[in-house]
Amino acid sequence: MIDKATALESVLRKLKKLPVGHCIDLRTYKRNRSLLILHHIDEEFTIFEDGYEVLEHKTTLKTVRKLLKNLFKREFPRSNKIRMYDLGEFNETMREREMKKL
């Protein structure tokens, strides 16, 4: 778990080291909303948003900071802590991860 105040820098640092084909999952403390970030090709990422909105964003390493800042505001508006999971190699079943029922 990481603080929301330092989450953006922590995620960017993790993305720079993330191998191609691997992904990380960012979730709220309650685990009911998530951002799944997949490293496609060299410095190209796909972000699967699953929470208030269900969208797919394609971005590069240069523009990922601005996009993540906007997504954090939309998906984690009242969160103080964010869960970050390193999921390893990506496969399609990871997109259908079970959300916690409240």
Side-chain angles (χ1 to χ4, degrees):
M1 296 211 4
I2 53 177
D3 287 325
K4 184 180 175 184
T6 61
L8 186 61
E9 295 304 320
S10 299
V11 170
L12 291 173
R13 202 170 26 251
K14 184 78 171 172
L15 289 179
K16 289 178 183 176
K17 297 177 185 176
L18 194 67
V20 174
H22 287 236
C23 61
I24 60 173
D25 189 16
L26 303 173
R27 292 188 177 250
T28 59
Y29 178 78
K30 297 190 297 185
R31 294 182 227 138
N32 59 350
R33 293 184 299 278
S34 75
L35 296 173
L36 183 71
I37 306 172
L38 169 64
H39 189 183
H40 267 300
I41 307 166
D42 197 33
E43 296 191 6
E44 288 187 19
F45 297 91
T46 301
I47 301 175
F48 301 104
E49 179 181 0
D50 189 11
Y52 291 120
E53 296 186 26
V54 180
L55 298 171
E56 181 177 330
H57 308 275
K58 296 200 183 287
T59 185
T60 63
L61 191 58
K62 292 180 181 179
T63 60
V64 75
R65 175 186 289 274
K66 185 175 180 182
L67 178 61
L68 280 176
K69 199 174 201 181
N70 289 333
L71 291 176
F72 280 1
K73 285 181 186 176
R74 181 170 48 214
E75 293 298 331
F76 310 136
R78 293 170 300 279
S79 297
N80 293 321
K81 297 280 189 180
I82 296 175
R83 297 176 188 267
M84 182 165 59
Y85 301 103
D86 189 354
L87 300 178
E89 193 109 16
F90 177 77
N91 60 32
E92 281 299 318
T93 60
M94 291 180 180
R95 285 198 60 197
E96 304 301 322
R97 289 184 70 195
E98 201 95 7
M99 293 289 191
K100 190 168 186 173
K101 303 282 190 231
L102 298 178

